Every structure is written in structure tokens, then in C-alpha cells.
Coordinates of all heavy atoms in Angstrom, one line a residue:
M1 N 9.2 30.8 -7.7 CA 8.1 31.6 -8.2 C 8.1 31.4 -9.8 O 9.1 31.7 -10.4 CB 8.3 33.1 -7.9 CG 7.3 34.0 -8.6 SD 7.6 35.8 -8.2 CE 7.3 35.8 -6.5
N2 N 7.0 30.9 -10.2 CA 6.9 30.7 -11.7 C 6.3 31.9 -12.3 O 5.1 32.0 -12.4 CB 6.1 29.4 -12.0 CG 6.9 28.2 -11.5 OD1 8.1 28.1 -11.7 ND2 6.1 27.3 -10.9
A3 N 7.1 32.9 -12.6 CA 6.6 34.1 -13.2 C 6.1 34.0 -14.6 O 6.6 33.1 -15.4 CB 7.7 35.2 -13.2
P4 N 5.1 34.7 -15.0 CA 4.6 34.6 -16.4 C 5.6 35.1 -17.3 O 6.4 36.1 -17.0 CB 3.3 35.5 -16.4 CG 3.5 36.4 -15.2 CD 4.2 35.7 -14.2
H5 N 5.7 34.6 -18.5 CA 6.7 35.1 -19.5 C 6.1 36.3 -20.3 O 4.9 36.5 -20.4 CB 6.9 33.9 -20.5 CG 7.5 32.7 -19.9 ND1 7.9 31.6 -20.6 CD2 7.8 32.4 -18.6 CE1 8.3 30.7 -19.8 NE2 8.3 31.1 -18.5
A6 N 7.1 37.1 -20.7 CA 6.7 38.3 -21.5 C 6.3 37.8 -22.9 O 6.4 36.6 -23.3 CB 7.9 39.2 -21.6
T7 N 5.8 38.7 -23.7 CA 5.1 38.3 -24.9 C 5.9 38.5 -26.2 O 5.4 38.3 -27.3 CB 3.8 39.1 -25.1 OG1 4.1 40.5 -25.1 CG2 2.8 38.8 -24.0
N8 N 7.2 39.0 -26.1 CA 8.0 39.2 -27.3 C 9.1 38.1 -27.4 O 9.5 37.5 -26.4 CB 8.6 40.6 -27.2 CG 7.6 41.7 -27.3 OD1 6.6 41.6 -28.0 ND2 7.8 42.8 -26.5
A9 N 9.5 37.9 -28.6 CA 10.6 37.0 -28.8 C 11.7 37.6 -29.6 O 11.5 38.5 -30.5 CB 10.1 35.7 -29.6
L10 N 12.9 37.3 -29.3 CA 14.1 37.8 -30.0 C 15.0 36.7 -30.3 O 15.4 36.0 -29.5 CB 14.8 38.9 -29.1 CG 16.2 39.4 -29.6 CD1 16.0 40.3 -30.8 CD2 16.9 40.2 -28.5
T11 N 15.4 36.6 -31.6 CA 16.4 35.7 -32.1 C 17.6 36.5 -32.5 O 17.5 37.4 -33.3 CB 16.0 34.8 -33.2 OG1 14.8 34.1 -32.8 CG2 17.0 33.8 -33.6
K12 N 18.8 36.3 -32.0 CA 19.9 37.1 -32.3 C 21.2 36.3 -32.3 O 21.4 35.3 -31.7 CB 20.1 38.2 -31.2 CG 20.5 37.7 -29.9 CD 20.7 38.8 -28.9 CE 21.2 38.2 -27.6 NZ 21.5 39.1 -26.5
A13 N 22.1 36.8 -33.1 CA 23.5 36.3 -33.1 C 24.3 37.2 -32.1 O 24.1 38.4 -32.1 CB 24.2 36.4 -34.5
T14 N 25.1 36.6 -31.2 CA 25.8 37.4 -30.2 C 26.9 38.3 -30.8 O 27.4 39.2 -30.1 CB 26.4 36.4 -29.2 OG1 27.4 35.7 -29.8 CG2 25.3 35.6 -28.6
G15 N 27.4 38.0 -32.0 CA 28.5 38.7 -32.5 C 29.8 38.0 -32.1 O 30.8 38.5 -32.5
F16 N 29.8 36.9 -31.4 CA 30.9 36.2 -31.1 C 31.0 34.8 -31.8 O 31.7 33.9 -31.4 CB 30.9 35.9 -29.6 CG 31.0 37.2 -28.8 CD1 29.8 37.8 -28.4 CD2 32.2 37.7 -28.4 CE1 29.9 39.0 -27.6 CE2 32.3 38.9 -27.6 CZ 31.1 39.5 -27.3
G17 N 30.2 34.6 -32.9 CA 30.2 33.4 -33.6 C 29.4 32.3 -33.2 O 29.4 31.2 -33.7
L18 N 28.6 32.6 -32.2 CA 27.7 31.5 -31.6 C 26.2 32.0 -31.7 O 25.9 33.1 -31.3 CB 28.0 31.3 -30.1 CG 27.0 30.3 -29.4 CD1 27.2 28.9 -30.0 CD2 27.4 30.4 -27.9
L19 N 25.4 31.1 -32.3 CA 24.0 31.5 -32.4 C 23.3 31.1 -31.2 O 23.4 30.0 -30.7 CB 23.4 30.7 -33.6 CG 21.9 30.8 -33.7 CD1 21.6 32.3 -34.2 CD2 21.3 29.9 -34.8
V20 N 22.7 32.1 -30.5 CA 21.9 31.9 -29.3 C 20.5 32.3 -29.6 O 20.3 33.4 -30.1 CB 22.5 32.7 -28.2 CG1 21.7 32.5 -26.9 CG2 24.0 32.2 -27.9
L21 N 19.6 31.5 -29.2 CA 18.2 31.9 -29.3 C 17.7 32.4 -27.9 O 17.7 31.6 -26.9 CB 17.3 30.7 -29.8 CG 17.8 30.1 -31.1 CD1 16.9 28.9 -31.4 CD2 17.8 31.1 -32.2
L22 N 17.4 33.6 -27.7 CA 17.0 34.2 -26.5 C 15.5 34.4 -26.6 O 15.0 35.3 -27.3 CB 17.7 35.5 -26.2 CG 17.2 36.3 -25.0 CD1 17.2 35.5 -23.7 CD2 18.0 37.6 -24.9
L23 N 14.7 33.6 -25.9 CA 13.3 33.6 -26.1 C 12.5 34.0 -24.9 O 12.7 33.5 -23.8 CB 12.8 32.2 -26.4 CG 13.5 31.6 -27.7 CD1 13.4 30.1 -27.7 CD2 12.9 32.2 -29.0
M24 N 11.5 35.0 -25.1 CA 10.7 35.5 -24.0 C 9.3 34.8 -24.1 O 8.5 35.0 -23.2 CB 10.5 37.0 -24.1 CG 11.8 37.8 -24.1 SD 12.9 37.3 -22.8 CE 14.3 37.1 -23.7
V25 N 9.1 34.0 -25.1 CA 7.9 33.1 -25.2 C 8.4 31.7 -25.4 O 9.5 31.4 -25.5 CB 7.0 33.5 -26.4 CG1 6.5 34.9 -26.2 CG2 7.8 33.4 -27.7
T26 N 7.4 30.8 -25.4 CA 7.8 29.4 -25.4 C 7.1 28.8 -26.6 O 6.0 28.3 -26.6 CB 7.3 28.6 -24.2 OG1 7.9 29.3 -23.0 CG2 7.8 27.2 -24.2
P27 N 7.8 28.8 -27.8 CA 7.2 28.2 -29.0 C 7.1 26.7 -28.9 O 7.8 26.1 -28.0 CB 8.2 28.6 -30.1 CG 9.4 28.8 -29.4 CD 9.1 29.3 -28.1
A28 N 6.4 26.1 -29.8 CA 6.2 24.6 -29.8 C 7.4 23.8 -29.7 O 7.6 22.8 -28.9 CB 5.3 24.1 -30.9
W29 N 8.4 24.2 -30.6 CA 9.6 23.4 -30.6 C 10.4 23.4 -29.3 O 11.1 22.4 -29.0 CB 10.5 23.8 -31.8 CG 11.1 25.2 -31.6 CD1 10.7 26.3 -32.2 CD2 12.3 25.5 -30.8 NE1 11.5 27.4 -31.9 CE2 12.5 26.9 -31.0 CE3 13.1 24.9 -30.0 CZ2 13.5 27.7 -30.4 CZ3 14.1 25.6 -29.3 CH2 14.3 27.0 -29.5
S30 N 10.3 24.4 -28.5 CA 11.2 24.6 -27.3 C 10.6 23.6 -26.2 O 11.3 23.4 -25.3 CB 11.2 26.0 -26.8 OG 9.9 26.4 -26.3

């Protein structure tokens, strides 16, 4: 099932020293 994506985006550091980009939308670079 290809569900539609939500409309918000969040960029966060996990607090464990690794940068993770958790994206609810699909920007051009992705």
C-alpha cells in the first residue's frame, strides 16, 4: 500500500551523536 505522506517535516539530532533526517515529506534532494 503506497500511503500518502504527511505534510510536516522534522530534522533532528538523536542525541546519540548521529544526525538523522526524519522526513514526512519528500523534498527535491531526497
Side-chain angles (χ1 to χ4, degrees):
M1 176 181 293
N2 293 319
H5 299 183
T7 57
N8 294 324
L10 171 69
T11 301
K12 67 176 184 181
T14 64
F16 298 88
L18 173 66
L19 177 65
V20 178
L21 307 180
L22 172 57
L23 300 163
M24 303 312 132
V25 295
T26 308
W29 66 259
S30 71

